[in-house]
Amino acid sequence: MLPKELERIIQLTKTHHKWRRTESLNLIASENVMSPLAEAVYGTDLMSRYAEGRPYKRYYQGTKYVDEIETLTMELMNRITSSKYCDVRPISGTIANAAVFRVLAQPGDEATIAPVQAGAHVSHTKFGTLGALGIKQVELPYDRERMNVDVDGARKVIERVRPKFAVLGGSLYLFPHPTREIAEIAHSVGARLVYDAAHVYGLIVGGVWRNPLEEGADFITASTHKTFPGPQGGAIFTNDESAYKPVSHNIFPWFLSNHHLHRLPSTAVTALEMMEFGGEYASQVVKNAKALASALVAQGFKVVGENQGYTTSHQVAVDVSKQGGGAKCAKVLEEANIIVNKNLLPDDPPERVSDPSGLRLGVQEMTRYGMNESDMQEIAVLFRKLLIDGQDVSDIRRKVLEMRSSFQTVKYTFPLEKDIVPTILALG
Ligand SMILES: *Cc1c(COP(=O)(O)O)cnc(C)c1O
C-alpha cells in the first residue's frame, strides 16, 4: 500500500496548480508565469546536477554542456540589459544583493539605502541581508510629496557619511528613484551605486523603465521572476570589469555552491522571448497598471500616488483603511479567488506591518495572459462589489472564474514545439 500522505501531497499540488493557474486572478506584484517553452526546458536532468565555479573553470566533471548553456545565458542576459558583464548564478535577488553588498563593504562599514517609505526591500536593511553582513544601514531622507528619495537631503547624508555604497530600487515601487542624481553624489565621495531592479527588471528589458546602468548605477541586481517572467532566480549586471571580478570570484563559495542549473535554459528562453515580445509586453503592463489605478478610483477607492498619476510601473497601491484595512481586504479578496498582498503604505508606521492600511497590486501576470485596459475596469468593478458594496463572496468568485476562463494561455511567447521540447517526460 502506498502511504496516504503520498496521495495527499499529489492532490494538494494539483489543486494548488489548478487554483492559481486557471481559477484565480493573480495580482501579486512579485510573481509571474513562465512561458510554456521556458517551463518545458526547466524540467530536465540539469535539476539534479552541480557545476561549482564559473563556466569552463568548474570543480566538477560532467559540465561540458552546462558550461555552454551558462555562457550563452549570460550572453543573452547581457544583450537584453545592454550590460558588459553579468552573473546568473545567484539563486535569488536576495543572494544577488548579498554578493554585491559583501564585495563592496566590510562588516562595520556603512551603506545608504532608500527610505523604507520609498520602497526599500528588507534585504537592504538592518533587519535583512545588509544587517546579516554587519553593514550599517543609513536611511536617506524621504520626500513625502513625491514618495521618493529627497535628493537634497540625500546629498547632505551621503557627503557626511561617505558610505561604501548606496542602494536604490524598491519593493513597493511606483515611481523611479532619482538614479542619475544619487549616482553622481555617490561617485563624488567614492561610493558605488547598486540599483536593485528585482521588481522592474522586465520593464527595463522591455524599454519602459530607465536602464539604471545608463543612468550611472555601478550594478543592477535583479530577480528573474517578477516583471521579468523567467524562473525564480537572481542576476547581477555591471559594465565595470573591476567591479565585476570580485563579485564573480566570490559569489561561490560565499553565497552558494549549487546554483540550480535548471534555471539557466529557462532564463535563456525568457531572454529570447523578451527580445522578441518584451517591448509589447512591458508597455501593456504599464498601460494596464495605469488603467487599473484610474478604474479603482472611479469605483470609489483611494489609490496612492494621485499627484503623480498613480503609477509608472506594474504596481498599484490602494489605501483600503476605509474598507477595513489591508489584512481584512486581502483575505476577503482571496476568498473570491483574487490574490493580492497587504502592504504598508508610506504613511503607515512600521508597527502596522501585520495590519497595514494598503494593498499592493501587480498586473504583470494577468497581462501575460492577455488582459488589457478593459479587463482592468472589470477587475476594479469586482473590487468595488466585494470591498465597498459587500456583495456575496461566492457570487464574486463565480464572476472571477468566468472572467479567468477566457485568459488561460500565456502570450508574448514562442510557440511550444512538442517535438523539440526536452522535458523529463519526453526524454523518458
Ligand atoms: C523581491 C525583492 C528582492 C528579493 O528577491 P528574491 O528573488 O525574492 O530573493 C530584492 N529586492 C527587492 C527590491 C525586491 O522587491
Side-chain angles (χ1 to χ4, degrees):
M1 259 246 307
L2 293 170
K4 67 178 185 313
E5 293 87 349
L6 183 65
E7 198 182 317
R8 182 69 183 144
I9 203 75
I10 291 168
Q11 183 208 336
L12 286 167
T13 307
K14 282 181 168 172
T15 309
H16 167 91
H17 187 87
K18 183 156 168 280
W19 180 47
R20 297 294 301 272
R21 276 292 169 102
T22 66
E23 300 174 344
S24 49
L25 298 177
N26 187 33
L27 300 175
I28 301 282
S30 56
E31 296 178 356
N32 215 321
V33 279
M34 283 196 267
S35 75
L37 190 55
E39 275 185 353
V41 298
Y42 198 64
T44 76
D45 178 77
L46 287 162
M47 69 172 78
S48 310
R49 304 300 159 205
Y50 270 89
E52 281 180 354
R54 291 173 300 139
Y56 305 104
K57 297 181 187 111
R58 306 290 193 189
Y59 296 87
Y60 276 61
Q61 294 312 120
T63 65
K64 60 186 175 185
Y65 301 113
V66 176
D67 289 340
E68 191 174 342
I69 290 170
E70 189 166 322
T71 305
L72 183 52
T73 304
M74 291 195 288
E75 240 176 77
L76 294 169
M77 292 296 272
N78 273 326
R79 214 187 294 166
I80 61 175
T81 316
S82 305
S83 52
K84 289 206 185 98
Y85 306 97
C86 83
D87 202 307
V88 291
R89 285 174 297 168
I91 57 168
S92 79
T94 300
I95 298 295
N97 280 344
V100 173
F101 294 172
R102 182 59 186 82
V103 162
L104 295 182
Q106 301 291 325
D109 287 343
E110 290 175 305
T112 63
I113 66 165
V116 169
Q117 295 104 308
H121 185 252
V122 66
S123 65
H124 309 170
T125 72
K126 59 187 173 194
F127 306 109
T129 310
L130 199 78
L133 295 171
I135 302 166
K136 292 187 188 126
Q137 158 198 324
V138 179
E139 219 174 315
L140 295 178
Y142 181 55
D143 175 345
R144 190 169 175 277
E145 184 62 23
R146 292 170 52 249
M147 285 182 64
N148 215 318
V149 178
D150 169 359
V151 174
D152 293 333
R155 182 183 301 279
K156 292 194 189 98
V157 173
I158 292 172
E159 285 176 353
R160 175 169 52 79
V161 173
R162 304 181 70 87
K164 284 291 192 292
F165 64 91
V167 188
L168 293 179
S171 291
L172 178 64
Y173 202 27
L174 304 169
F175 310 110
H177 288 160
T179 310
R180 200 176 285 285
E181 292 82 348
I182 301 298
E184 187 261 312
I185 300 167
H187 293 158
S188 77
V189 301
R192 298 279 195 178
L193 175 60
V194 182
Y195 189 103
D196 182 345
H199 265 273
V200 293
Y201 179 58
L203 304 182
I204 293 167
V205 169
V208 299
W209 193 273
R210 281 172 256 155
N211 186 325
L213 293 179
E214 283 158 21
E215 297 203 286
D218 299 285
F219 282 99
I220 296 177
T221 56
S223 299
T224 53
H225 52 268
K226 295 185 180 179
T227 52
F228 185 82
Q232 290 193 328
I236 298 166
F237 305 91
T238 180
N239 285 328
D240 181 338
E241 190 179 10
S242 69
Y244 172 71
K245 275 194 168 160
V247 173
S248 169
H249 279 85
N250 289 311
I251 185 161
F252 165 78
W254 281 359
F255 294 102
L256 47 86
S257 66
N258 189 331
H259 54 290
H260 301 185
L261 308 178
H262 57 302
R263 295 182 300 115
L264 301 174
S266 304
T267 305
V269 166
T270 309
L272 286 161
E273 290 182 330
M274 287 297 279
M275 271 180 217
E276 192 82 13
F277 310 106
E280 203 191 333
Y281 154 69
S283 55
Q284 190 61 49
V285 165
V286 176
K287 280 190 230 167
N288 282 353
K290 287 177 188 289
L292 181 60
S294 314
L296 286 166
V297 170
Q299 296 299 325
F301 287 95
K302 186 171 174 210
V303 176
V304 170
E306 185 183 0
N307 63 353
Q308 296 180 89
Y310 304 113
T311 184
T312 57
S313 73
H314 58 302
Q315 296 185 6
V316 177
V318 193
D319 180 344
V320 288
S321 34
K322 282 218 182 78
Q323 286 78 37
K328 177 177 163 241
C329 288
K331 218 158 174 283
V332 173
L333 285 161
E334 183 183 29
E335 283 165 26
N337 283 8
I338 301 175
I339 317 295
V340 306
N341 67 271
K342 62 177 184 240
N343 216 95
L344 282 175
L345 295 181
D347 290 337
D348 283 343
E351 310 81 78
R352 284 202 61 177
V353 67
S354 53
D355 187 21
S357 52
L359 297 176
R360 184 183 68 169
L361 316 178
V363 299
Q364 67 294 335
E365 182 167 329
M366 290 300 109
T367 305
R368 295 265 292 160
Y369 280 107
M371 287 194 182
N372 61 26
E373 293 93 322
S374 61
D375 305 305
M376 298 300 116
Q377 311 257 358
E378 217 172 300
I379 292 175
V381 170
L382 295 174
F383 269 67
R384 191 252 300 155
K385 287 181 170 166
L386 197 62
L387 301 178
I388 295 178
D389 301 350
Q391 282 192 17
D392 191 51
V393 170
S394 52
D395 286 348
I396 307 299
R397 188 168 53 234
R398 212 168 306 119
K399 292 206 171 80
V400 167
L401 281 168
E402 192 184 305
M403 184 181 183
R404 183 65 211 263
S405 67
S406 350
F407 300 98
Q408 297 283 328
T409 319
V410 181
K411 307 288 191 280
Y412 310 101
T413 65
F414 294 133
L416 177 65
E417 306 277 1
K418 283 271 185 303
D419 50 338
I420 63 156
V421 169
T423 62
I424 260 189
L425 290 177
L427 287 171

